[in-house]
Amino acid sequence: MPASGTWGRLTLAEEEYLILESPMFNALVVEKTETGTQADLRQISYDDLPAGDVTVAVDYSTVNYKDGLCIGPGGGLVRVYPHVPGIDFAGTVESSDDPRYRPGDQVILTGWRVGETHWGGYAQKARVKADFLVPLPQGLTSRQAMAVGTAGLTAMLAVMALEGHGLEPGKAPVLVTGAAGGVGSVATALLANLGYEVAAVTGRPETADYLTGLGATQIVARNELNEVTKRPLEAESWAGCVDAVGGEMLARVLGQMCYGASVAAVGLAGGASLPATVIPFLLRGVNLLGIDSVMQPFENRQKAWARIAKDLPLAKLEGMIVPAVLSDLPRLGKEILKGQVQGRVVVDVNA
């Protein structure tokens, strides 16, 4: 067969040869049981993979909050079992029915409900629609791309949204809530590298050194912000905010924003309700920006990944990485749901 990277589109005979050459591969498969769900490492075949335009040899995946739900209770995200979770992955195109991708191309997948309603990246092979993929940007490896992953892409989209609404370095600090988590870690490193003073919010005092290592100049204890105040406005403290918590903390933060500042809401670790008033919007012109990474158009994804390759300090990215393999995922899925995962877990699916 032709060497990887020099193939044109595989013929049917070549693809059949490839499948016969390596018919089985490892995957984390979740089954429905009488008492809930069970996740086990199994061998599956190409025939088991769902329909799609592009078959990818997966190099790395990662662990997100949604992955924890899909590995465990499902959270209403998984509708059909058996299921292979993993909402993002990076790897190399093995075969393609779409002219945009050729065997040997390196690609990233995030979003589009892959790993939820469509089999995902917790396997050595994946088959997906070509529309779901983005080329790996120059300057990043597949391992680095998964150290970024969905969480890091979301962080970059949040920073871009804040910049689009006037955020510039040199003003008040930018607040990052849930800073030791995946989105918060990347947001902290990005903002610091772009010249912003970053105030990192965490409920885990032991993460302070980790966060200052990413570039945070101020550590804010979670208990300072997680109670609603009766005052709709407090002192103007923050030039912008990347909020991964929601709930009461977001309500409190809205009243502390500087005039005309924006909050990019990226998560709801603290709850989906928002016990706030409209006063910050009316008297200070505060903006609340919703950030979705799942259904972002291709052009926006490409811009965000290009910014990540340019603006994220890779040395700091390396410091966020927690290495893992497929057999670690049942444990990690439980830990991330309990808020016990720090930084970015990078899963080597071939180890």
Side-chain angles (χ1 to χ4, degrees):
M1 293 185 68
S4 175
T6 64
W7 287 334
R9 186 183 300 176
L10 289 179
T11 66
L12 180 61
E14 288 173 330
E15 186 162 359
E16 287 176 348
Y17 177 86
L18 178 64
I19 292 171
L20 289 171
E21 187 180 52
S22 181
M24 305 296 288
F25 50 88
N26 292 328
L28 185 80
V29 180
V30 181
E31 291 273 15
K32 195 77 171 175
T33 68
E34 292 183 0
T35 57
T37 57
Q38 177 68 39
D40 295 299
L41 191 59
R42 297 186 190 172
Q43 290 233 305
I44 62 174
S45 73
Y46 284 85
D47 290 340
D48 295 315
L49 294 175
D53 307 315
V54 183
T55 301
V56 178
V58 179
D59 295 329
Y60 296 96
S61 186
T62 183
V63 180
N64 303 277
Y65 191 87
K66 280 185 178 180
D67 294 317
L69 291 173
C70 294
I71 292 169
L77 301 176
V78 181
R79 304 296 174 85
V80 179
Y81 292 90
H83 181 68
V84 175
I87 69 168
D88 43 18
F89 63 77
T92 304
V93 172
E94 201 168 76
S95 63
S96 174
D97 291 327
D98 189 287
R100 288 172 288 179
Y101 296 101
R102 297 164 60 89
D105 288 347
Q106 291 186 289
V107 292
I108 305 169
L109 182 141
T110 61
W112 301 110
R113 299 208 68 194
V114 172
E116 302 172 44
T117 61
H118 190 95
W119 280 19
Y122 290 167
Q124 291 176 296
K125 313 289 180 184
R127 186 177 292 135
V128 296
K129 293 182 180 180
D131 289 342
F132 296 168
L133 299 170
V134 174
L136 180 73
Q138 199 167 25
L140 284 183
T141 66
S142 58
R143 180 174 180 270
Q144 289 167 335
M146 282 301 97
V148 175
T150 295
L153 175 65
T154 304
M156 188 72 252
L157 291 168
V159 171
M160 290 166 62
L162 292 175
E163 290 174 337
H165 283 76
L167 182 67
E168 296 177 348
K171 298 180 180 179
V174 179
L175 192 71
V176 178
T177 70
V183 178
S185 293
V186 179
T188 298
L190 274 170
L191 288 164
N193 195 53
L194 289 167
Y196 295 95
E197 184 181 349
V198 180
V201 182
T202 180
R204 295 178 279 172
E206 68 275 11
T207 64
D209 288 345
Y210 167 75
L211 293 169
T212 54
L214 295 179
T217 55
Q218 181 180 349
I219 304 298
V220 180
R222 181 170 59 196
N223 59 16
E224 293 183 22
L225 293 173
N226 63 359
E227 292 183 6
V228 177
T229 178
K230 293 181 180 179
R231 292 179 293 167
L233 294 175
E234 299 181 74
E236 297 182 41
S237 301
W238 318 116
C241 174
V242 177
D243 176 60
V245 176
E248 294 180 347
M249 185 176 294
L250 174 55
R252 183 75 180 273
V253 166
L254 288 170
Q256 298 179 354
M257 302 305 296
C258 294
Y259 188 89
S262 301
V263 177
V266 302
L268 41 64
S273 65
L274 184 58
T277 77
V278 298
I279 298 300
F281 308 118
L282 301 180
L283 298 188
R284 285 195 184 154
V286 171
N287 304 296
L288 181 57
L289 313 175
I291 306 299
D292 167 64
S293 65
V294 176
M295 306 302 291
Q296 282 285 329
F298 175 83
E299 293 77 12
N300 290 356
R301 293 171 186 269
Q302 216 174 17
K303 288 177 184 176
W305 279 108
R307 284 287 306 273
I308 287 166
K310 179 172 71 78
D311 294 330
L312 181 62
L314 296 183
K316 290 183 179 178
L317 180 67
E318 188 66 30
M320 302 179 202
I321 293 175
V322 179
V325 297
L326 287 174
S327 59
D328 294 325
L329 289 170
R331 170 182 58 82
L332 289 168
K334 294 176 183 176
E335 290 178 358
I336 199 165
L337 294 181
K338 296 177 181 177
Q340 296 173 345
V341 172
Q342 174 181 300
R344 301 292 299 132
V345 176
V346 177
V347 182
D348 184 346
V349 303
N350 298 296

